[in-house]
Amino acid sequence: KETKDQLIIDAGQKHFGATMCKSCGMIYAASNPEDELQHVQHHHRFVEGIKYTGWKKERVVAEFWDGKIVLVLPRDPSYAIRKVEDVQELVDNELGFQQVVPKYPNKTKTLLFISDEKKVVGCLIAEPIKQAFRVLSEPTGPETPSSKECQRAWQCSDVPEPAVCGISRIWVFRLKRRKRIARRLVDTLRNCFMFGCFLSTNEIAFSDPTPDGKLFATKYCNT
Ligand code: ACO
Ligand code: ZN
């Protein structure tokens, strides 16, 4: 059962305005069949997760008791790329990015964490970078929920520091969070991003982190 919040004032028309689904968070125009369809698709993926039935040629780069990590590269078969695009769409909807799914850039590396139930429960998208800017620590004070919610624009240093690998997306299926899936994705990335070396935490950078992303990154880089 979903309830909907009216976000735009009804100007008289029957189904005017945008609606936000309280279960999946998507904002869409219920009066627009195309939007409605997109919502139904997103809603389903959000609730059910994305299935992964296995590929004949899959690149398993790590295995665990509760799942495995598969690496997808730009020249992989289209079914693999399509799976990555599906996951990215779900992630971007959740992070509130507008749909700009570009063609798979040719230096991108994607890691998918596949659970034992054959679902994609984690995703990490990385690309080579040359430099990054350190996020400056926030003014200290009690961590109030509102400051966590509002502060998306972190203050960054203007001194570039050399880096090798940028993480443009990291995401874990909401029911599987805090099980070290993100940590295992980053560990695996450090090992397989550049052949023959294990990247240090100084060589990786998180782009535009969300509050969740920043909490994770801070913890990860200090341990
Ligand atoms: N609050 C506080 N600490 C956290 C949080 C959090 N929400 N998430 C992770 N941590 C810290 C904890 O110390 C945790 O260890 P612990 O559970 O033993 O205390 C440690 O990081 C490792 O966490 P993992 O279990 O490996 O992280 P998880 O698998 O839950 O994934 C992630 C973290 C990816 C941020 C997840 O919360 C998520 O998908 N959030 C929504 C999407 C998102 O915001 N992604 C980041 C966008 S930024 C970017 O893509 C560059
Ligand atoms: Zn929904």
Side-chain angles (χ1 to χ4, degrees), residues 5 11 14 16 20 22 32 37 55 66 89 104 108 111 115 124 130-131 135 165 185 198 219 223:
D5 279 340
K14 254 275 163 285
F16 180 81
M20 186 175 82
K22 274 194 179 161
N32 177 334
L37 180 68
W55 300 327
D66 56 345
E89 198 182 315
Y104 206 78
T108 303
L111 294 175
S115 73
L124 185 162
K130 294 214 167 63
Q131 59 183 38
V135 174
C165 170
L185 281 166
F198 187 71
K219 177 75 182 186
T223 48

Side-chain angles (χ1 to χ4, degrees), residues 2 21 23-26 39 43:
E2 19 177 302
C21 174
S23 320
C24 76
M26 184 163 171
H39 168 241
H43 192 97

Side-chain angles (χ1 to χ4, degrees), residues 126-157:
E127 59 218 352
I129 55 170
K130 294 214 167 63
Q131 59 183 38
F133 300 88
R134 195 166 291 279
V135 174
L136 300 174
S137 52
E138 297 156 66
T140 45
E143 178 102 13
T144 58
S146 64
S147 76
K148 189 190 159 207
E149 294 303 321
C150 303
Q151 239 171 336
R152 180 76 193 268
W154 317 109
Q155 260 204 330
C156 286
S157 149

Side-chain angles (χ1 to χ4, degrees), residues 169-172 178 180 182-183 207 210 212 215 219:
R169 304 277 192 289
I170 181 156
W171 165 89
V172 171
R178 303 303 285 269
R180 314 211 145 211
R183 177 180 287 278
S207 73
T210 56
D212 272 354
L215 286 166
K219 177 75 182 186

Side-chain angles (χ1 to χ4, degrees), residues 24 30 35 89 91 114 139 166 170 175 178 186 189-190 204 206 215:
C24 76
D35 257 37
E89 198 182 315
V91 174
I114 313 295
I170 181 156
L175 300 176
R178 303 303 285 269
V186 181
L189 174 76
R190 287 165 68 191
I204 57 173
F206 293 81
L215 286 166

Side-chain angles (χ1 to χ4, degrees), residues 52 55 59 71-89 101-106 108-110 112 125:
Y52 174 94
W55 300 327
R59 217 177 272 107
L71 170 67
V72 179
L73 297 175
R75 289 199 193 82
D76 282 355
S78 55
Y79 54 78
I81 303 293
R82 219 175 306 124
K83 185 63 73 181
V84 169
E85 286 170 348
D86 282 355
V87 178
Q88 190 178 337
E89 198 182 315
V101 181
K103 72 167 175 52
Y104 206 78
N106 72 12
T108 303
K109 293 189 170 152
T110 302
L112 300 177
I125 303 180

